[in-house]
Amino acid sequence: MRLHRLDITAFGPFGATQEIDFDALSAAGLFLLHGPTGAGKTSVLDAVCYALYGAVPGARQSPGTSLRSDHAPADLPTEIRLELTVGGRRLEITRRPAQPRPKKRGGGHTTEKAQSLLRAYDTERGWQALSRSHQEIGEEITQLIGMSREQFCQVVLLPQGDFARFLRADAEARGKLLGRLFDTRRFAAVEERLADLRRAAENQVRSGDEQILALAQRIAQAAGPAGREAAMPEVQPGGPGLADAVLGWAATARSSARERLDIAGASVAAAESRRSAARTAWDAERELAALQQRYAETGRRAAASEAGRAGHDDAQEQLRRARRADRVAPALELRDEAERAYRRASAARDRSRSGLPDSLADAGAEQLAALERRLREELGGLDAARRAERRSAEIDSERTALEREARADDELIRDADGWLAGWEATRDGLLARIEAAQEAATRAELLAGRLDPARRRLDAARRRDALADEAVGAEDRLGRAREHALGTREHWLDLRERRLRDIAAELARELVDGEACMVCGSAGHPRPARAGDGHVDQATEDAAEAAHRRAEQARTEAEHVLGAVRERYAAARAEAAEAAGADSAEDPDAGGVDDPTAAELAALVDTLTREHTLAHRTAAGTHAAREALAAAERERTQRTEDRRQAERRAAARTSRREGLDSEQESLEEVLAQARGEAGSVTEHAALLQNRVALLVEAVTTVREEEDAAARLKEADDRLADAAFRAGFDTPQAAADTLLAESGQRSLQHRIDAWQAEAAAVADRLAETDARAAAGRAPAAPDAARQVYDVAERLLRDASAALASARERCAELGRLSRRAADEVRGLGPVREEYERIARLAGLTAGTSADNERKMRLESYVLAARLEQVAAAATARLGRMSSGRYELVHSDARTGGRRAGLGLHVIDAWTGRERDTATLSGGETFFASLALALGLADVVTDEAGGVRLDTLFIDEGFGSLDEQTLDEVLDVLDSLRERDRSVGIVSHVGDLRRRIPAQLEVVKERHGSAVRHRVADGISD
């Protein structure tokens, strides 16, 4: 990587644009960057770092720190442009940080976003833009250089103070720096990953052991008394030998359980034998008791059967008489039915005769039938008269309908005439309504066009009034901020001037007898300066400067706020003024005031809103008015047609009425003859029909009464004959002996039950075993049952014990198999845990196999440090005239871990000692050699990217002339690799030794740079 050109504008202490030509400075290979304190030497390096990575080194990039120069004009933007060659490509990087700028319209400032531009030079097409993305440019530059910002600041911008501290630092501090440079986070990640794997595997092993112990607890519960004979092993999860101890203890518990199972089996066999004997004795006693009870019961039944013999004989006799009476029952039923029929027929005859005249009360059936035939003939002659009467009623109905239709048509004609008379006025009114609605729609559109601008005017006026008050407050805050910033600046400059007057005394406080002065390099200090009254130290000056910067930041923020408020106020006022002009042109009543008040605009908006609402409501009736006109025209057509139809129907009704009158006259002559004395033909016919019905009923009932009397006489004769043949003296005696079927069944059941009981008693009396049992002593089944119950209970207890023993053995076997499976399954996990634990302990430096207790990351960093020490020794030998050599040491110091020790070998004494024992000058060139060696190693680590431009910051004041010459020779030798080295220093002797110089001049209005080359000085 080679730098060609750097343009700095409004950056840090540089108020204007400064151009730095690195090609001219690098021509000599070694150039000097010098200037007074605070002029901006470090800011040049910051600009290079910002151009490459978009950020400045270290603490100078702290939050709230502005990169913009306080000396720059407001309209000059802060910008860094760097031209360089890296990876064989010539690139130009332009960056602008986020910064305030004046607004293009109105007053105040606005914050402009950060901008970046990457261009590449093409020999044919010139400069070509590659990207404007911060992220893409950062990734591209980091990939080309091969280093992060932190690595670049350590390797290219060599901070000697940091490397001096690195020489004297302990292993932990060296590890942090080397870790940032060589990015050994992946090795630390390996350590953490192995530690995580170890913890995870340990948790798995503990979890498995806990499951095994849980199974052991269940085995102890399942074993019961057998488990209490041998105590469960007392081991913790993760402890050695846990699996073998649990499996051995489980085997002992299973053996004890099987012994208890054999004992329980023998007890069950003995209990079953006792229960069988008790069951046999109990069955024998129950059988004896049953036989004795049977014999006693048979005696009682025999006595009861003999006592019921008389009743049995009476039942048999009563059943025989009832069965003889059953032969007379059909004749009895037939006679009773005939008598009931005769009574019904007599009653019906009496009822039918009651409606006849008295002259026919004793008439026979034939006389009544003849009278019926004559009346039917007379009724048949009235059919034609009934038809004529119905037609006469129909003619009356038709006349009524014609009258009703005539009245309806007359009403329709009158209504149509009245409506059509006002048609012209109705049509004119509807047309006027449509026209008014159309005019209202046009006015609504015009008012809508005026209403929106009026509302915007009102909103703008309200914002304008609010922003006017806000602007007054912002102006007050800005005035106070300016006064505060001016006061803090004057206080800071006063303290700075007082400190510069006594700067010699401040430097003198750091002098140590025997050590070289950082300014003159002398080891003797005969008259160190003394601080005067009111001396100001650097902390006080820094605090005053920080207060000034905070005040300036507050002033800038107040300016930004005021500018934003004024801009918004101007925009609101302009919006109200533009709208006001438009409304004044359309509204002749509006005044010509440019800034109307919010109340006036609110009144205007209310007026326009009311007018627009009224016009819109009126316009909404356009469609309804058109629909009403169309409906009126349809109604006019319909009414005209209805009137013509009514006139045609009136003519037809006149002819129809005349025909009905003629037909009615002819029908009246026929009806007068047929009605007779009745009011109508129908009434006369109904009277005849009633008389015929009475005669028909009377004839029928007379004939039925005569038939019923004949059947009753015949039934009496048959009943008397049946009673005589059945052996009864009279029919009444047979009727008294009759017994219903249910009664006969009841008697038969009593007879059959007595006979069956008598036969059963005879059979049981013949049984010999019951008679023999009755001669023995009374049986005792309850005592035998108690003996059996005791034997049964003992058998159940023994069986329960046997089942429990079997269940325990089965459960122990199942749990033991599960425990064995858990042990087998946990075996690979335990082996994996032991392997990972060994690796984790080895990489963490806690394993006994790691003799030096060195972590993996420290081991890698130690290898890198060994490379750095070797590369630094090549230059340290030349700087120290072959006296010193840097070596890496992995020896342990005290109780700390080994790996990152750094020693120096003194060739004059031949002894190896710590780098902290070097003097100030020796520390400088040793740290310089270490920095150059580190640059070589990091360059190789980054993929061999050439670093053709290096910067070394301060430290040369601690060298004597001879050592300074040797150091400069070493730096000058870097030109052999086509490198250029820039030295940042205050030492005046360097200005005489190095002809190529870049001087930073501090001025009142901002710093400036001057080039000093062999040809002369240029700005």
Side-chain angles (χ1 to χ4, degrees), residues 659-727:
L660 292 175
D661 292 342
S662 176
E663 184 178 2
Q664 183 69 32
E665 291 177 358
S666 61
L667 291 174
E668 283 296 331
E669 296 178 358
V670 176
L671 292 174
Q673 295 177 359
R675 281 196 295 266
E677 297 179 356
S680 64
V681 175
T682 301
E683 183 180 351
H684 184 59
L687 180 60
L688 292 177
Q689 288 177 348
N690 185 34
R691 291 177 179 176
V692 169
L694 290 175
L695 289 174
V696 169
E697 183 181 4
V699 170
T700 302
T701 56
V702 169
R703 290 176 176 172
E704 289 178 352
E705 189 270 341
E706 293 175 353
D707 293 340
R711 287 195 297 274
L712 177 58
K713 183 177 183 307
E714 182 178 0
D716 287 338
D717 294 341
R718 290 181 178 178
L719 177 59
D721 183 61
F724 178 75
R725 286 198 299 271

Side-chain angles (χ1 to χ4, degrees), residues 1 112 167 215 289 301 322 363 390 448 452 475 568 581 745 786 968 1011:
M1 181 194 73
E112 188 177 58
L167 281 174
L215 287 174
R301 290 173 62 184
R390 286 196 298 271
D452 290 339
E475 289 173 353
R568 289 159 56 198
R745 284 199 302 273
Q786 291 177 359
L968 291 179
H1011 294 74

Side-chain angles (χ1 to χ4, degrees), residues 432-473:
R433 180 181 168 189
I434 293 172
E435 183 177 357
Q438 292 174 343
E439 292 177 355
T442 303
R443 177 167 176 77
E445 292 179 359
L446 294 175
L447 291 173
R450 293 178 58 196
L451 185 58
D452 290 339
R455 287 172 176 166
R456 289 195 297 271
R457 287 179 62 194
L458 177 59
D459 294 339
R462 288 172 176 168
R463 291 198 307 274
R464 177 200 62 200
D465 296 342
L467 290 172
D469 297 336
E470 189 175 349
V472 173

